[in-house]
Amino acid sequence: MGNRTFLSVTSADTDLIDYENTAFETNNFLAPVWFCLVSQDQFQRYSRQLMQAWSKIQPHMDQPDVEDLPEWEHFSEAFQWQIPWADAAEQLRLSLPGTLAHFPALATPVHEWLVTLSTHVQRYSTAVIHLELSQYFSFTGDPALYLKDIQEYVTLWQSPHPSQEKVWQGAADNVYMLNGEHLPWRERRAAQPEQALDIQPAQSIPPASGKRQSKWRQEIYIWLLAILSAALFFTVYVKTSSGWLAVLCFFIPSLCIVLWNIIIGRKRTSRHQLEAARTLKRNSRPSDAVLRIEYFAGHSPIGVDGMETGPSEDKAVPDLIPWLQILQAKVLSSHEVELIVSANHSPVSTLQLHLKLDEQLDAKDTVSAVNALVLAHVKALV
């Protein structure tokens, strides 16, 4: 069987851990990805409660009935590690950018992990993450060594460093070793309707009366155009007896209107795009955190609060696109990506931005990282 570890999600109003609803599990190892949910404060609190319980049971360890003592029960309870989803989500938003900027190839398995986790979290209004790691303690029998292993995984996320490259590469080569066995909720509750996980941009529906009024006006314009064209046709034909000249005059009003619409349409689109870019720039605020993260082999546009756009000739384009305003990321070429960005309070609902990447960065990995970070921010609002 081995020593199993589990990541479960329950409601905040219950202390019962139902292993029927486990989200992930491993056998004989700790999954590195789980610890992107753990802050240093959370880890320090867990360490204190475990070491305090250990100090009380340690004098009795040589007794044959040690497991019957209340101190042993308290020591077993100290292994219970519960993190409110609000705290875990906050740490998730802080942990992912730096690591994915340094190791973008991790983005795809991390995204899959988040999708599975969300099937459990979204079931509760106040979710709690449970880390059940007590069986892993059996490898050492020493809480100090046990906590040292956990600290190493927490540090992987909070202090990305080039020396971690082999660790992450080794885990990424085997998805199971990276995040454990996935156990989505929907697989064991097939009778329940599944909730869509894809992020879809909101679509505004114009009032029906507006549509009818616009269509009515359009029909009037068409009739007026037809009358004007017919009048020109007969007038020119009667005065000149030239059929081809009459036909030409018949189409002149239509041609003028078509050209006018093209010119006005282009101006309107350009103005709306500019307004959308300005609105986006106003909504983008500079972060108090460090936004620029240096990639090990070049510069990554992935920031703590959003995607950096870099120098742009268009001054209206902001320097940073917040994660929640990114609706979609696409690969344009091996080193170029396209962002579909929400432009709030603007006649244009979306804005397309093309970003050129550092030659050391692969567009596919970068797009995967963007999708993972957008999903992390969306799910953090659950």
Side-chain angles (χ1 to χ4, degrees), residues 5 20 30 32 43 56 63 70 123 145 174 213 216 246 249 253 274 287 338:
T5 64
E20 290 289 327
L30 298 176
F43 175 70
K56 293 177 181 178
Q63 297 183 19
R123 291 186 51 82
L145 296 177
N174 185 338
Q213 186 177 11
W216 177 73
C249 290
L274 181 59
S287 170
E338 178 185 74

Side-chain angles (χ1 to χ4, degrees), residues 30 136 139-140 144-154:
L30 298 176
Y136 185 80
F139 283 119
T140 62
L145 296 177
Y146 162 78
L147 292 171
K148 181 182 178 184
D149 287 349
I150 296 176
Q151 176 69 78
E152 289 179 356
Y153 286 110
V154 173

